[in-house]
Amino acid sequence: MSTCTTASAELGEPVGATAATARTWLLIEQPGPWGAKALTGSRLDPAVGRALDRAADGTGVRIALIRRPGRHADSHTPARHRVHIGHTAPGRGWVRSDTVADPAELVELDFAALGAGSHDGFGAAHAGPPLALVCTNGRRDRCCAVRGRPLAAELAASGGADTWEVTHLGGHRFSPTMLVLPYGYVYGRVDGRVAKDALEAARSGRIVLDGCRGRSTWDRPGQAADLAVRALAGEDLEDALTVRRTVAEPDGSGWSVLVAHTDGRAWDVTVARTAAQPPRPESCDGPLGTPALLEATGITAVTGRS
């Protein structure tokens, strides 16, 4: 039986500009099995999950559950839950870590401030290697478990990153998918080599374009523009580029995106939107669809920044 990942790969669907949008990630350790909607379908108290979801709504904070790679279908409940919060804006990114006895404590966080980039003294600065978050939630889509769990296990065994399984990064058909913090770049269709290259680059504040879906800080047009300028300029420093402005075309066909470099250069990037053809499953149990494809169709250098 063909899977959504097989169909997407065979049709040559590009992975660029498909990352979930989140300025800040709140990652909560919750071992055990996860349901399709993990915040209310795991061993986390569903009332707490709903309260967290309400608190984060509209703030730019995306919440996910995490667990260490390995066996997880058990009744283990940790005495304390590891929590990572990562803000992804270029030049202003950070990861803060702590443990809590009860995830209900997190409902009291200032989510608007977190989304804007203020951690308000939460926990302590993450001093370890980059965080590697690999989607493995088979209840969301079986491809995430079949392809994601072996990658998470390989990365954990290699010791080059602080590796976690995560509930959902979007884009099942690009499994295995991986989020790298502190920078917020998401990767798809990654094997062990690509994943390790991305994590090694992150140690020195750099990114790799191979398999890169985009930076979660930006909306999808911004992701397309950021990746296109990086490819054109050969720029791999994570904080070198900022999406300054995104303007939608009146006819809905695309966007004009201004991307600025820290050295003063800037580019106006035209991003077009088309529907993927022929129809393909966007998840293994879902109907055929024509997901939006975003592609940079023109890049023009401009003077200065706006």
Side-chain angles (χ1 to χ4, degrees):
M1 180 183 296
S2 178
T3 65
C4 63
T5 54
T6 302
S8 178
E10 289 178 346
L11 290 169
E13 184 178 358
V15 302
T18 64
T21 300
R23 293 190 301 271
T24 301
W25 293 82
L26 171 58
L27 307 166
I28 307 166
E29 182 183 11
Q30 182 55 63
W34 297 328
K37 296 183 178 180
L39 278 182
T40 55
S42 70
R43 293 202 168 99
L44 178 71
D45 182 344
V48 172
R50 287 190 291 271
L52 287 167
D53 195 40
R54 289 192 299 269
D57 186 39
T59 65
V61 178
R62 186 179 177 100
I63 303 173
L65 303 184
I66 58 175
R67 64 191 177 203
R68 288 298 190 186
R71 296 188 61 186
H72 57 77
D74 53 51
S75 59
H76 170 63
T77 300
R80 298 188 67 82
H81 300 252
R82 191 68 172 166
V83 178
H84 299 292
I85 305 179
H87 185 65
T88 63
R92 299 187 292 110
W94 45 261
V95 175
R96 307 281 293 190
S97 303
D98 205 349
T99 61
V100 297
D102 184 349
E105 300 172 34
L106 301 172
V107 177
E108 302 305 317
L109 291 171
D110 186 339
F111 282 81
L114 290 175
S118 173
H119 55 69
D120 197 28
F122 176 87
H126 178 71
L131 293 173
L133 293 308
V134 180
C135 183
T136 63
N137 190 354
R139 292 292 183 89
R140 190 91 184 190
D141 190 280
R142 63 178 178 269
C143 284
C144 297
V146 170
R147 296 173 181 265
R149 296 199 71 209
L151 176 63
E154 180 181 349
L155 295 179
S158 72
D162 190 355
T163 304
W164 297 84
E165 297 184 5
V166 66
T167 49
H168 187 48
L169 297 178
H172 321 298
R173 63 193 184 280
F174 303 121
S175 296
T177 61
M178 177 181 74
L179 165 69
V180 179
L181 290 177
Y183 308 126
Y185 279 92
V186 180
Y187 292 83
R189 295 198 197 112
V190 293
D191 56 20
R193 178 191 61 80
V194 172
K196 290 170 188 175
D197 285 349
L199 291 165
E200 181 60 30
R203 287 176 174 269
S204 57
R206 298 177 183 274
I207 71 156
V208 298
L209 292 182
D210 192 9
C212 192
R213 297 176 59 193
R215 188 173 198 150
S216 72
T217 317
W218 315 127
D219 58 16
R220 289 188 61 193
Q223 293 172 22
D226 172 63
L227 294 177
V229 171
R230 287 187 179 280
L232 175 70
E235 181 58 74
D236 64 354
L237 284 173
E238 67 84 15
D239 65 352
L241 301 181
T242 299
V243 174
R244 295 292 187 193
R245 184 177 67 241
T246 300
V247 179
E249 297 293 341
D251 62 1
S253 62
W255 300 263
S256 175
V257 184
L258 181 66
V259 179
H261 196 291
T262 51
D263 66 9
R265 289 179 292 166
W267 298 264
D268 187 27
V269 184
T270 301
V271 177
R273 174 172 53 195
T274 58
Q277 295 290 347
R280 76 287 314 275
E282 296 183 55
S283 60
C284 285
D285 297 322
L288 297 181
T290 54
L293 300 180
L294 275 65
E295 179 184 9
T297 56
I299 304 178
T300 304
V302 297
T303 303
R305 289 180 286 180
S306 300

